[in-house]
């Protein structure tokens, strides 16, 4: 018998996946995540992800990363990146504790709080700097990211009416980790210092979806904002 499903605004019932499998002991503990405005990305990783997995995050910094080896502007400022012409993405640079256990869970969660189907856009924020991007620390990370991205696309293909996203095609790019430029200090932990500050992220998936029809139903999609 399926689990009882509580009702929430805009929620959809789909099947939740099993916990992520462990990676190898040698997987890199460094990754950079682009999910729109990095203020919200940092808040959701530092606070919300660690509510699920306490002690999983060693450190975070917001800043900028380009997928190009020779970007148009080297060591850009926030204003440089805001023009959309520097070739950089706003990212959260993450160091994990125990990446063997937490890396895939982090990548799953990455897709739960932003919309990866809106190319170079998150909400009203538009431009390449707001692209959905994962900059990987090694080949094992890249393979896991490809797998997770494919899982999400399979879910969207098989459950189009249950999608919490705007479009139906995942646009997230996967790249090797490149040179990181730390943002100015007032951007670091911005929403921790300014709790009412701007944030257009929200929890869209309460749990990671499974395309396995044998799983029990549980509520995972929501339009509710998690404070």
């Amino acid at each position: 018998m399926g689990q009882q499903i509580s009702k929430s605004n805009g929620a959809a019932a789909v099947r939740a996946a099993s916990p992520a499998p462990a990676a190898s002991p040698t997987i890199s503990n460094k990754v950079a995540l682009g999910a729109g405005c990095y203020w919200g990305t940092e808040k959701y990783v530092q606070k919300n992800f660690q509510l699920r997995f306490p002690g999983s995050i060693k450190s975070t910094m917001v800043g900028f990363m380009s997928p190009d080896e020779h970007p148009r502007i080297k060591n850009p400022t926030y204003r440089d990146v805001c023009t959309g012409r520097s070739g950089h993405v706003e990212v959260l640079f993450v160091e994990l504790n125990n990446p063997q256990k937490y890396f895939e869970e982090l990548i799953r969660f990455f897709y739960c709080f932003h919309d990866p189907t809106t190319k170079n856009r998150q909400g009203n924020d538009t431009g390449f700097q707001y692209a959905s991007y994962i900059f990987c620390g090694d080949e094992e990370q890249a393979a896991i990211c490809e797998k997770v991205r494919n899982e999400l696309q399979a879910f969207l293909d098989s459950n189009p009416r249950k999608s919490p996203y705007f479009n139906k095609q995942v646009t997230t790019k996967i790249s090797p980790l490149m040179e990181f430029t730390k943002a100015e200090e007032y951007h670091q932990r911005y929403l921790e210092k300014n709790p009412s500050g701007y944030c257009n992220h929200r929890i869209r998936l309460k749990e990671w979806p499974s395309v396995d029809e044998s799983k029990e139903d549980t509520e995972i999609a929501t339009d509710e904002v998690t404070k």
Side-chain angles (χ1 to χ4, degrees), residues 1-187:
M1 185 175 179
Q3 296 175 355
Q4 184 175 355
I5 299 172
S6 60
K7 302 296 183 180
S8 64
N9 184 33
V14 298
R15 292 174 173 85
S18 300
S24 78
T26 59
I27 191 171
S28 173
N29 76 326
K30 297 179 176 64
V31 65
L33 304 175
C37 178
Y38 51 28
W39 294 345
T41 307
E42 184 171 46
K43 180 262 181 188
Y44 273 86
V45 171
Q46 270 286 355
K47 180 179 179 181
N48 299 77
F49 183 69
Q50 289 205 102
L51 286 175
R52 299 186 182 193
F53 301 101
S56 56
I57 303 299
K58 181 179 180 180
S59 68
T60 62
M61 286 187 291
V62 298
F64 317 107
M65 192 168 289
S66 172
D68 300 323
E69 189 174 353
H70 302 290
R72 290 186 289 274
I73 298 176
K74 189 175 177 65
N75 299 322
T77 65
Y78 177 70
R79 290 190 177 276
D80 290 332
V81 175
C82 280
T83 67
R85 298 191 296 269
S86 76
H88 290 79
V89 178
E90 289 194 13
V91 299
L92 178 69
F93 187 87
V94 180
E95 288 188 279
L96 284 165
N97 290 315
N98 194 357
Q100 182 181 6
K101 180 177 181 180
Y102 296 123
F103 179 75
E104 186 167 337
E105 295 289 3
L106 176 64
I107 300 306
R108 288 178 172 187
F109 184 74
F110 164 78
Y111 287 114
C112 292
F113 70 82
H114 86 292
D115 189 339
T117 71
T118 51
K119 185 177 181 180
N120 298 341
R121 175 185 171 188
Q122 285 296 308
N124 294 325
D125 297 332
T126 60
F128 179 73
Q129 65 270 34
Y130 301 117
S132 180
Y133 243 101
I134 307 173
F135 295 89
C136 299
D138 60 21
E139 291 183 0
E140 183 177 3
Q141 280 194 4
I144 291 171
C145 291
E146 291 273 3
K147 182 189 79 168
V148 172
R149 184 176 62 183
N150 290 342
E151 288 174 355
L152 181 59
Q153 188 61 60
F155 167 70
L156 297 184
D157 291 343
S158 60
N159 299 275
R161 290 182 297 176
K162 294 180 179 179
S163 170
Y165 305 122
F166 186 77
N167 295 314
K168 298 178 182 178
Q169 190 69 38
V170 178
T171 66
T172 306
K173 300 291 186 183
I174 299 169
S175 168
L177 202 62
M178 305 296 276
E179 183 176 359
F180 174 71
T181 301
K182 184 180 178 181
E184 294 87 341
E185 191 57 38
Y186 78 90
H187 288 283

